[in-house]
């Protein structure tokens, strides 16, 4: 009855089962996986948010495949504030970065074509690729004084079917940015090979250092698709507003833009009230980002304080983003450890294998967890060793 591409294993995993059992007991849960910013105790200007949604211009339907110009101009201003010049006509609005990924996958790949993705990274890619009949090939990152791309392995992974390389900048959950030397190396590989760079920058603004990390939207050497959105930048995942920027050599760029416009025109998925509210939502990002970074810094500080008081566990370096990777003794598979932490300590953390860590001994915790839960959850994790 159904297409092969949807023949997923739909059974819940052991950790999800353990979580449901724990919740059913009604015992306290220290959830260190929270990633929904609207449920983390941040203060939003609800009046301003709702006012932005009641623009009378929304009473008129103005179908525009790339999205309303007012919203795209506000996005160009967002990049200009970072010192990055993005022409308004190179921006296309989507309802999520996931939708932006699917447009790019459709643009670049015939069924069975390949895209390179980093490992470890964000687990949603597999489903997005399955739905678009794209084959994902992992290229490893390795940890040596911070995270690095294994460029040798990346080049070995390229086949005649490879259409592009995905980078997450900064990566989830490793929290490292692609530095300028790595960007240069990616261009040296992608440009002559006619491979596109697909850059996911949803966490770009959440840097823990003073450095202003350049966006891939400024990249002109290879055909580049840069995506981001309000889910993370403004902490508004419920608004379903994101964007896709095309840059690169002029001829490739204009051809890609024209084809993307046809894909977008076939859906016209953005709704008017949200598009009209984008300038206001982007304005509101500053207050959100300030609170979020204060939370991330406080939690990292607390983590380091607790780690300093024991000698079994450590954490990996983090340059930005919302997550931290804990290095714990690899005495059992990470999933067993995560299930055990839930059952015996009431702490919910993600095992490294959810993110394709190459071996056991890694747990991932969310740094946007409310402070008291974070401190107690970490205390319970460390007490396990
Ligand atoms: C790296 C990365 N990209 C994209 C997304 C999803 O963003 P959106 O809500 O815009 O689809 C997430 C969500 O956690 C993410 O971690």
């Amino acid at each position: 009855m159904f297409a092969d591409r949807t023949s997923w294993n739909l059974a819940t995993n052991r950790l999800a089962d353990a979580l449901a059992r724990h919740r059913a007991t009604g015992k306290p849960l220290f959830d260190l996986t929270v990633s929904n910013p609207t449920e983390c105790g941040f203060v939003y200007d609800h009046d301003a948010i709702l006012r932005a949604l009641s623009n009378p211009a929304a009473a008129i339907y103005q179908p525009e495949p790339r999205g309303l110009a007012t919203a795209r101009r506000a996005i160009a201003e967002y990049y200009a504030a970072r010192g990055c010049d993005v022409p308004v006509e190179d921006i296309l609005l989507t309802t999520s970065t996931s939708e932006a990924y699917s447009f790019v996958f459709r643009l670049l790949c015939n069924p069975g074509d390949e895209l390179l993705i980093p490992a470890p990274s964000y687990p949603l890619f597999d489903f997005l690729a399955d739905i678009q009949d794209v084959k994902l090939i992992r290229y490893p990152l390795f940890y040596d004084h911070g995270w690095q791309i294994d460029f040798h392995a990346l080049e070995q992974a390229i086949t005649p079917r490879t259409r592009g390389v995905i980078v997450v900048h900064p990566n989830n959950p490793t929290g490292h940015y692609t530095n300028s030397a790595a960007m240069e190396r990616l261009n040296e590989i992608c440009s002559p090979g006619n491979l596109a760079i697909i850059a996911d920058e949803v966490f770009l603004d959440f840097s823990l250092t003073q450095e202003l990390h350049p966006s891939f939207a400024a990249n002109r050497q290879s055909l580049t698709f840069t995506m981001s959105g309000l889910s993370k930048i403004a902490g508004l995942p419920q608004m379903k507003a994101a964007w896709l920027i095309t840059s690169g050599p002029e001829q490739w760029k204009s051809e890609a833009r024209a084809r993307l416009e046809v894909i977008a025109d076939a859906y016209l998925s953005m709704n008017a009230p949200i598009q009209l509210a984008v300038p206001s939502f982007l304005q509101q990002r500053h207050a959100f980002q300030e609170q979020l970074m204060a939370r991330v810094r406080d939690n990292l500080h607390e983590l380091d304080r607790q780690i300093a008081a024991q000698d079994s566990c450590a954490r990996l370096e983090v340059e930005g983003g919302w997550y931290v990777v804990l290095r714990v003794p690899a005495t059992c598979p990470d999933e067993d450890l995560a299930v055990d932490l839930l059952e015996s300590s009431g702490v919910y953390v993600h095992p490294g294998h959810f993110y394709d860590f190459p071996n056991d001994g890694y747990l991932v915790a969310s740094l946007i967890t409310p402070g008291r839960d974070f401190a107690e959850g970490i205390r319970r994790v460390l007490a396990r060793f």
Side-chain angles (χ1 to χ4, degrees), residues 41-115:
F42 299 121
V43 178
Y44 291 86
D45 185 344
H46 289 132
D47 289 342
I49 290 172
L50 296 178
R51 251 194 331 273
L53 289 172
S54 52
N55 188 326
I60 311 240
Y61 182 41
Q62 294 174 273
E64 163 56 73
R66 280 178 293 166
L68 293 180
T70 45
R72 290 186 290 120
R73 273 199 293 275
I75 292 162
E77 279 161 24
Y78 160 80
Y79 284 96
R82 305 186 58 88
C84 175
D85 175 28
V86 176
V88 174
E89 56 278 13
D90 294 348
I91 301 171
L92 185 148
L93 302 188
T94 59
T95 53
S96 61
T97 43
S98 299
E99 188 178 61
Y101 273 115
S102 68
F103 285 9
V104 174
F105 290 2
R106 278 331 235 175
L107 172 72
L108 296 174
C109 298
N110 289 315
D113 279 350
E114 297 168 2
L115 290 170

Side-chain angles (χ1 to χ4, degrees), residues 35 95-99 101 121-122 124-125 168 170-172 200 202-203 228-232 237 240-242 323:
S35 60
T95 53
S96 61
T97 43
S98 299
E99 188 178 61
Y101 273 115
S121 199
Y122 172 61
L124 181 72
F125 294 132
V168 185
N171 190 31
N172 171 3
D200 178 333
V202 297
F203 294 111
S228 186
L230 296 182
S231 292
K232 306 291 191 277
K240 306 302 295 175
Y323 304 95

Side-chain angles (χ1 to χ4, degrees), residues 37 43 50 80 93 102 132 154 158 163-164 220 247 267 295 348:
V43 178
L50 296 178
L93 302 188
S102 68
Q132 312 298 335
L154 186 152
I158 295 171
R163 314 298 310 145
R220 305 277 182 267
S247 64
Y267 292 97
R295 172 82 54 86
Y348 182 31

Side-chain angles (χ1 to χ4, degrees), residues 30 32 40 42 295 298-299 302 306 366-378:
F30 298 91
L32 303 188
C40 288
F42 299 121
R295 172 82 54 86
D298 287 353
N299 281 342
E302 173 62 18
Q306 292 196 29
S366 165
L367 290 167
I368 70 165
T369 308
R372 253 189 294 172
D373 280 5
F374 186 83
E376 181 57 20
I378 291 295

